[in-house]
Amino acid sequence: MKGLDATVEARLDRGLAALDIPVDAEQRARLLALVGLLHKWNRAYNLTAVRAPEEMVSRHLLDSAAVLPFVKGPTLLDVGSGPGLPGLVLAILKPSLGVTLLDSNGKKVRFQRQAVMELGLTNVTPVQARVETFTPIAGGYAQVISRAFSSLGDFVALTASLVAPDGEWLAMKGPAVEDELAGLPEEVVVAARHDLEVPFASGSRPLVVLRHRASSEARP
């Protein structure tokens, strides 16, 4: 990709291979273009504290891609999406997925819209709104994801009306996740927990999958 060092491309290729995520030429080009856009916009708008494109690959793209095996769709709401992470990455890797990016920060949503346009993504809808005032699609989203958006308790409370009755929350968390589990409401249960190994990152990325209790108990 023009403008990016070869080490950036190599890190992306090696990381995707380590995650066992195959990509075609168009998906690879879009992922690299996303890194280029993040780096370009970051100099003016401070979208992320990560400055180096090579680090953006590992800490943003590969971190986002690591949850792909647990993304079922057909609809995904990315809450507190910031510059569109993980939603943009997941939309590139899973074209059948309908992704809504939700954030209240105007400059970050402007970046999302620019990225959607430049990358030619037809399965992504950026929305600037606070989660408390956002109106979901009819029936709610199959999955609602957050990437260190808030505590588990707050995440569930703020998005309870946005998840379909048989849907799931996907919470990408940090080391403090153990302390947050006690804050979950009684009607929500932990359906699964995974420690994701993100290439070129130290430690693991905890992913907590949550469901409505009634929905979880009804599943075989």
Side-chain angles (χ1 to χ4, degrees), residues 196-215:
L196 308 179
E197 298 298 328
V198 180
F200 312 109
S202 58
S204 59
R205 158 70 89 175
L207 173 68
V208 181
V209 182
L210 306 169
R211 296 188 187 127
H212 296 283
R213 181 175 295 278
S215 171

PDB file of all heavy atoms in Angstrom, residues 196-215:
ATOM      1  N   LEU A 196      -8.332 -14.034  24.215  1.00  0.00           N
ATOM      2  CA  LEU A 196      -7.879 -13.956  22.832  1.00  0.00           C
ATOM      3  C   LEU A 196      -6.388 -13.629  22.778  1.00  0.00           C
ATOM      4  O   LEU A 196      -5.924 -12.713  23.457  1.00  0.00           O
ATOM      5  CB  LEU A 196      -8.673 -12.890  22.079  1.00  0.00           C
ATOM      6  CG  LEU A 196     -10.205 -12.995  22.167  1.00  0.00           C
ATOM      7  CD1 LEU A 196     -10.848 -11.855  21.393  1.00  0.00           C
ATOM      8  CD2 LEU A 196     -10.674 -14.341  21.647  1.00  0.00           C
ATOM      9  N   GLU A 197      -5.674 -14.365  21.973  1.00  0.00           N
ATOM     10  CA  GLU A 197      -4.252 -14.111  21.776  1.00  0.00           C
ATOM     11  C   GLU A 197      -4.097 -13.188  20.568  1.00  0.00           C
ATOM     12  O   GLU A 197      -4.354 -13.593  19.428  1.00  0.00           O
ATOM     13  CB  GLU A 197      -3.499 -15.420  21.553  1.00  0.00           C
ATOM     14  CG  GLU A 197      -3.563 -16.376  22.740  1.00  0.00           C
ATOM     15  CD  GLU A 197      -2.940 -15.803  23.996  1.00  0.00           C
ATOM     16  OE1 GLU A 197      -1.969 -15.018  23.866  1.00  0.00           O
ATOM     17  OE2 GLU A 197      -3.412 -16.135  25.105  1.00  0.00           O
ATOM     18  N   VAL A 198      -3.710 -11.956  20.808  1.00  0.00           N
ATOM     19  CA  VAL A 198      -3.545 -10.969  19.743  1.00  0.00           C
ATOM     20  C   VAL A 198      -2.083 -10.935  19.321  1.00  0.00           C
ATOM     21  O   VAL A 198      -1.208 -10.684  20.152  1.00  0.00           O
ATOM     22  CB  VAL A 198      -3.996  -9.567  20.206  1.00  0.00           C
ATOM     23  CG1 VAL A 198      -3.822  -8.549  19.086  1.00  0.00           C
ATOM     24  CG2 VAL A 198      -5.451  -9.608  20.664  1.00  0.00           C
ATOM     25  N   PRO A 199      -1.792 -11.198  18.051  1.00  0.00           N
ATOM     26  CA  PRO A 199      -0.396 -11.199  17.603  1.00  0.00           C
ATOM     27  C   PRO A 199       0.310  -9.875  17.898  1.00  0.00           C
ATOM     28  O   PRO A 199      -0.276  -8.802  17.765  1.00  0.00           O
ATOM     29  CB  PRO A 199      -0.524 -11.423  16.084  1.00  0.00           C
ATOM     30  CG  PRO A 199      -1.820 -12.144  15.916  1.00  0.00           C
ATOM     31  CD  PRO A 199      -2.728 -11.583  16.970  1.00  0.00           C
ATOM     32  N   PHE A 200       1.563  -9.986  18.338  1.00  0.00           N
ATOM     33  CA  PHE A 200       2.438  -8.843  18.627  1.00  0.00           C
ATOM     34  C   PHE A 200       1.990  -8.031  19.851  1.00  0.00           C
ATOM     35  O   PHE A 200       2.486  -6.932  20.074  1.00  0.00           O
ATOM     36  CB  PHE A 200       2.563  -7.908  17.417  1.00  0.00           C
ATOM     37  CG  PHE A 200       2.863  -8.620  16.140  1.00  0.00           C
ATOM     38  CD1 PHE A 200       1.906  -8.739  15.151  1.00  0.00           C
ATOM     39  CD2 PHE A 200       4.107  -9.191  15.929  1.00  0.00           C
ATOM     40  CE1 PHE A 200       2.181  -9.411  13.970  1.00  0.00           C
ATOM     41  CE2 PHE A 200       4.394  -9.873  14.755  1.00  0.00           C
ATOM     42  CZ  PHE A 200       3.425  -9.987  13.772  1.00  0.00           C
ATOM     43  N   ALA A 201       1.062  -8.574  20.628  1.00  0.00           N
ATOM     44  CA  ALA A 201       0.610  -7.891  21.848  1.00  0.00           C
ATOM     45  C   ALA A 201       0.993  -8.738  23.052  1.00  0.00           C
ATOM     46  O   ALA A 201       0.986  -9.969  22.999  1.00  0.00           O
ATOM     47  CB  ALA A 201      -0.896  -7.674  21.813  1.00  0.00           C
ATOM     48  N   SER A 202       1.328  -8.068  24.140  1.00  0.00           N
ATOM     49  CA  SER A 202       1.668  -8.791  25.360  1.00  0.00           C
ATOM     50  C   SER A 202       0.389  -9.152  26.107  1.00  0.00           C
ATOM     51  O   SER A 202      -0.579  -8.396  26.113  1.00  0.00           O
ATOM     52  CB  SER A 202       2.565  -7.937  26.260  1.00  0.00           C
ATOM     53  OG  SER A 202       1.921  -6.715  26.578  1.00  0.00           O
ATOM     54  N   GLY A 203       0.376 -10.325  26.713  1.00  0.00           N
ATOM     55  CA  GLY A 203      -0.808 -10.763  27.436  1.00  0.00           C
ATOM     56  C   GLY A 203      -1.915 -11.173  26.483  1.00  0.00           C
ATOM     57  O   GLY A 203      -1.722 -11.337  25.282  1.00  0.00           O
ATOM     58  N   SER A 204      -3.121 -11.358  27.020  1.00  0.00           N
ATOM     59  CA  SER A 204      -4.261 -11.764  26.218  1.00  0.00           C
ATOM     60  C   SER A 204      -5.365 -10.731  26.335  1.00  0.00           C
ATOM     61  O   SER A 204      -5.375  -9.906  27.239  1.00  0.00           O
ATOM     62  CB  SER A 204      -4.779 -13.137  26.652  1.00  0.00           C
ATOM     63  OG  SER A 204      -5.157 -13.115  28.017  1.00  0.00           O
ATOM     64  N   ARG A 205      -6.300 -10.789  25.413  1.00  0.00           N
ATOM     65  CA  ARG A 205      -7.450  -9.873  25.382  1.00  0.00           C
ATOM     66  C   ARG A 205      -8.693 -10.632  25.852  1.00  0.00           C
ATOM     67  O   ARG A 205      -9.195 -11.508  25.158  1.00  0.00           O
ATOM     68  CB  ARG A 205      -7.635  -9.347  23.969  1.00  0.00           C
ATOM     69  CG  ARG A 205      -9.032  -8.845  23.669  1.00  0.00           C
ATOM     70  CD  ARG A 205      -9.368  -7.564  24.401  1.00  0.00           C
ATOM     71  NE  ARG A 205      -8.978  -6.387  23.637  1.00  0.00           N
ATOM     72  CZ  ARG A 205      -9.256  -5.145  24.030  1.00  0.00           C
ATOM     73  NH1 ARG A 205      -9.873  -4.944  25.187  1.00  0.00           N
ATOM     74  NH2 ARG A 205      -8.887  -4.111  23.311  1.00  0.00           N
ATOM     75  N   PRO A 206      -9.209 -10.340  27.056  1.00  0.00           N
ATOM     76  CA  PRO A 206     -10.424 -11.011  27.513  1.00  0.00           C
ATOM     77  C   PRO A 206     -11.642 -10.590  26.686  1.00  0.00           C
ATOM     78  O   PRO A 206     -11.846  -9.408  26.420  1.00  0.00           O
ATOM     79  CB  PRO A 206     -10.563 -10.543  28.966  1.00  0.00           C
ATOM     80  CG  PRO A 206      -9.212 -10.025  29.352  1.00  0.00           C
ATOM     81  CD  PRO A 206      -8.635  -9.469  28.088  1.00  0.00           C
ATOM     82  N   LEU A 207     -12.426 -11.576  26.268  1.00  0.00           N
ATOM     83  CA  LEU A 207     -13.704 -11.336  25.614  1.00  0.00           C
ATOM     84  C   LEU A 207     -14.779 -12.026  26.434  1.00  0.00           C
ATOM     85  O   LEU A 207     -14.704 -13.234  26.693  1.00  0.00           O
ATOM     86  CB  LEU A 207     -13.699 -11.893  24.187  1.00  0.00           C
ATOM     87  CG  LEU A 207     -15.052 -11.858  23.456  1.00  0.00           C
ATOM     88  CD1 LEU A 207     -15.468 -10.430  23.152  1.00  0.00           C
ATOM     89  CD2 LEU A 207     -15.002 -12.688  22.168  1.00  0.00           C
ATOM     90  N   VAL A 208     -15.786 -11.254  26.842  1.00  0.00           N
ATOM     91  CA  VAL A 208     -16.896 -11.797  27.623  1.00  0.00           C
ATOM     92  C   VAL A 208     -18.150 -11.748  26.762  1.00  0.00           C
ATOM     93  O   VAL A 208     -18.510 -10.687  26.238  1.00  0.00           O
ATOM     94  CB  VAL A 208     -17.114 -11.000  28.926  1.00  0.00           C
ATOM     95  CG1 VAL A 208     -18.263 -11.602  29.741  1.00  0.00           C
ATOM     96  CG2 VAL A 208     -15.833 -10.981  29.752  1.00  0.00           C
ATOM     97  N   VAL A 209     -18.801 -12.890  26.598  1.00  0.00           N
ATOM     98  CA  VAL A 209     -20.044 -12.993  25.836  1.00  0.00           C
ATOM     99  C   VAL A 209     -21.199 -13.079  26.831  1.00  0.00           C
ATOM    100  O   VAL A 209     -21.217 -13.957  27.706  1.00  0.00           O
ATOM    101  CB  VAL A 209     -20.045 -14.221  24.916  1.00  0.00           C
ATOM    102  CG1 VAL A 209     -21.335 -14.273  24.093  1.00  0.00           C
ATOM    103  CG2 VAL A 209     -18.821 -14.210  24.007  1.00  0.00           C
ATOM    104  N   LEU A 210     -22.145 -12.157  26.703  1.00  0.00           N
ATOM    105  CA  LEU A 210     -23.271 -12.076  27.628  1.00  0.00           C
ATOM    106  C   LEU A 210     -24.582 -12.293  26.887  1.00  0.00           C
ATOM    107  O   LEU A 210     -24.708 -11.938  25.713  1.00  0.00           O
ATOM    108  CB  LEU A 210     -23.312 -10.705  28.309  1.00  0.00           C
ATOM    109  CG  LEU A 210     -22.029 -10.259  29.021  1.00  0.00           C
ATOM    110  CD1 LEU A 210     -22.137  -8.788  29.419  1.00  0.00           C
ATOM    111  CD2 LEU A 210     -21.771 -11.108  30.241  1.00  0.00           C
ATOM    112  N   ARG A 211     -25.564 -12.850  27.585  1.00  0.00           N
ATOM    113  CA  ARG A 211     -26.894 -13.039  27.013  1.00  0.00           C
ATOM    114  C   ARG A 211     -27.943 -12.754  28.071  1.00  0.00           C
ATOM    115  O   ARG A 211     -27.676 -12.800  29.276  1.00  0.00           O
ATOM    116  CB  ARG A 211     -27.094 -14.474  26.504  1.00  0.00           C
ATOM    117  CG  ARG A 211     -26.191 -14.882  25.359  1.00  0.00           C
ATOM    118  CD  ARG A 211     -26.601 -16.235  24.809  1.00  0.00           C
ATOM    119  NE  ARG A 211     -25.637 -16.708  23.822  1.00  0.00           N
ATOM    120  CZ  ARG A 211     -25.040 -17.885  23.848  1.00  0.00           C
ATOM    121  NH1 ARG A 211     -25.302 -18.735  24.834  1.00  0.00           N
ATOM    122  NH2 ARG A 211     -24.196 -18.240  22.902  1.00  0.00           N
ATOM    123  N   HIS A 212     -29.168 -12.470  27.598  1.00  0.00           N
ATOM    124  CA  HIS A 212     -30.301 -12.415  28.509  1.00  0.00           C
ATOM    125  C   HIS A 212     -30.476 -13.787  29.138  1.00  0.00           C
ATOM    126  O   HIS A 212     -30.353 -14.817  28.467  1.00  0.00           O
ATOM    127  CB  HIS A 212     -31.581 -12.031  27.747  1.00  0.00           C
ATOM    128  CG  HIS A 212     -31.538 -10.654  27.158  1.00  0.00           C
ATOM    129  ND1 HIS A 212     -31.713  -9.512  27.917  1.00  0.00           N
ATOM    130  CD2 HIS A 212     -31.359 -10.236  25.888  1.00  0.00           C
ATOM    131  CE1 HIS A 212     -31.639  -8.449  27.129  1.00  0.00           C
ATOM    132  NE2 HIS A 212     -31.423  -8.854  25.899  1.00  0.00           N
ATOM    133  N   ARG A 213     -30.788 -13.811  30.417  1.00  0.00           N
ATOM    134  CA  ARG A 213     -30.891 -15.089  31.117  1.00  0.00           C
ATOM    135  C   ARG A 213     -31.924 -16.014  30.460  1.00  0.00           C
ATOM    136  O   ARG A 213     -31.672 -17.192  30.230  1.00  0.00           O
ATOM    137  CB  ARG A 213     -31.267 -14.865  32.584  1.00  0.00           C
ATOM    138  CG  ARG A 213     -31.375 -16.139  33.413  1.00  0.00           C
ATOM    139  CD  ARG A 213     -31.637 -15.844  34.870  1.00  0.00           C
ATOM    140  NE  ARG A 213     -30.525 -15.152  35.485  1.00  0.00           N
ATOM    141  CZ  ARG A 213     -29.425 -15.750  35.955  1.00  0.00           C
ATOM    142  NH1 ARG A 213     -29.294 -17.063  35.849  1.00  0.00           N
ATOM    143  NH2 ARG A 213     -28.469 -15.046  36.523  1.00  0.00           N
ATOM    144  N   ALA A 214     -33.092 -15.486  30.133  1.00  0.00           N
ATOM    145  CA  ALA A 214     -34.147 -16.322  29.548  1.00  0.00           C
ATOM    146  C   ALA A 214     -33.694 -16.912  28.223  1.00  0.00           C
ATOM    147  O   ALA A 214     -33.948 -18.087  27.919  1.00  0.00           O
ATOM    148  CB  ALA A 214     -35.425 -15.503  29.345  1.00  0.00           C
ATOM    149  N   SER A 215     -33.000 -16.106  27.430  1.00  0.00           N
ATOM    150  CA  SER A 215     -32.511 -16.572  26.132  1.00  0.00           C
ATOM    151  C   SER A 215     -31.456 -17.656  26.319  1.00  0.00           C
ATOM    152  O   SER A 215     -31.442 -18.660  25.622  1.00  0.00           O
ATOM    153  CB  SER A 215     -31.924 -15.414  25.328  1.00  0.00           C
ATOM    154  OG  SER A 215     -31.266 -15.877  24.172  1.00  0.00           O
TER     155      SER A 215
END
